[in-house]
Amino acid sequence: MDIRRVGVIGAGTMGNGIAHLLARGGYDVVLCDVEQRFLERALETIGRNLEREVAKNKITADDKASALRRIQPVTDRAKLADCDFVIEAATEKFEIKAEIFRDLDQRTRPEIILASNTSSISITKLAAQTRRADKVIGMHFFNPVPVMKLVEVIRGLATSQATFLAARDLSLKLEKTPVEVNDAPGFVSNRVLMPLLNEAMFAVMEGVATPEAVDEVFKLGMAHPMGPLTLADFIGLDVCLDIMRVLQQGLGDPKYRPCPLLIKMVDAGWLGRKSGRGFYRY
């Protein structure tokens, strides 16, 4: 499959990271979001992150300028019609993603692969929103996308081998390490990680230890680069809650019940680093 032009839907943290990665890798990128201000913020972020790579001698100033020229910001999904591959990186809610996949199915050529960057939602369910279930796949990148090597490549029930190979090969061309995973709530990464973060929140809620103490235990005792509560703030507490609810609903096991403190903090608008307050202040 000849992939030259890639659509990315969603210009948030993950979407702008994926757009950065693709543009730096030589692909033309159509970056789509619902408002121009989100796109402007994304381009500013991509510019800053590319400049950091210039400062570290990973790329040249000309490479940065070329990458930025390859990104076309749009608010009209019709501009995705001529893309050779599309990656959805919208909010981690099934209803939002399902509407996007239904729309993409209408707008893009029938042979085009539709990928989702979802970190927990069923690829099989998303594929069922389209008439091309064999061409729907999960590509779960990790934050920060330009730095982290892993891509979970998730097969839905109907995903074809050709689709899997195309997603795998794209990951390799982007100098990532694709790991094949079958469709299940949370896949591998979040099925294991999120209950850990959730249990750390229970430890704080129940007065076992402060957030600082919990994080120190994991940094010094388990050699984690950051503690679970710092990581939760980095991911976004709203995202953590959404994923825990997907795990609870999808697996039906009470051990995946979201911590009440997490629910309360999200209700208060304490979403972590992006809102300035979570388990820590920023």
Side-chain angles (χ1 to χ4, degrees), residues 197-217:
L197 272 55
N198 196 55
E199 197 63 29
M201 297 170 195
F202 270 109
V204 172
M205 185 185 77
E206 294 169 2
V208 176
T210 64
E212 293 82 0
V214 170
D215 281 352
E216 283 296 287
V217 166

Side-chain angles (χ1 to χ4, degrees), residues 49-200:
N49 290 337
L50 286 168
E51 186 58 38
R52 290 192 185 99
E53 293 179 342
V54 172
K56 294 177 180 179
N57 295 317
K58 292 183 176 181
I59 62 172
T60 67
D62 286 344
D63 291 334
K64 172 191 171 182
S66 296
L68 288 172
R69 283 196 298 270
R70 291 189 193 102
I71 301 173
Q72 177 188 359
V74 303
T75 56
D76 182 1
R77 287 189 201 159
K79 301 289 180 62
L80 298 164
D82 61 349
C83 288
D84 305 312
F85 196 102
V86 179
I87 302 173
E88 169 273 319
T91 302
E92 193 70 359
K93 293 186 183 299
F94 175 76
E95 295 77 11
I96 292 173
K97 292 181 184 291
E99 185 277 326
I100 289 170
F101 272 78
R102 288 192 295 268
D103 191 44
L104 288 174
D105 193 42
Q106 298 290 328
R107 294 183 185 275
T108 59
R109 304 192 304 275
E111 70 272 18
I112 297 307
I113 291 171
L114 306 179
S116 176
N117 181 60
T118 180
S119 58
S120 61
I121 292 170
S122 170
I123 300 303
T124 300
K125 286 180 66 176
L126 290 175
Q129 308 301 309
T130 75
R131 296 165 296 178
R132 62 180 88 183
D134 61 317
K135 295 179 176 65
V136 175
I137 195 162
M139 292 182 73
H140 179 205
F141 293 84
F142 289 74
N143 187 30
V145 177
V147 176
M148 301 295 280
K149 286 292 186 182
L150 176 63
V151 179
E152 278 186 308
V153 182
I154 305 108
R155 292 177 182 265
L157 186 63
T159 303
S160 71
Q161 180 68 1
T163 296
F164 169 77
L165 292 175
R168 183 201 65 181
D169 292 349
L170 178 59
S171 302
L172 292 170
K173 287 175 182 176
L174 293 170
E175 300 182 348
K176 299 301 183 185
T177 302
V179 176
E180 181 179 355
V181 177
N182 287 320
D183 194 17
F187 315 129
V188 170
S189 57
N190 281 326
R191 182 168 179 170
V192 176
L193 174 64
M194 284 300 160
L196 167 63
L197 272 55
N198 196 55
E199 197 63 29

Side-chain angles (χ1 to χ4, degrees), residues 231-241 262 271-274:
L231 179 56
D233 275 357
F234 182 70
I235 293 168
L237 299 186
D238 53 336
V239 176
C240 293
L241 179 57
L262 172 61
L271 307 182
R273 184 179 292 273
K274 62 186 173 185

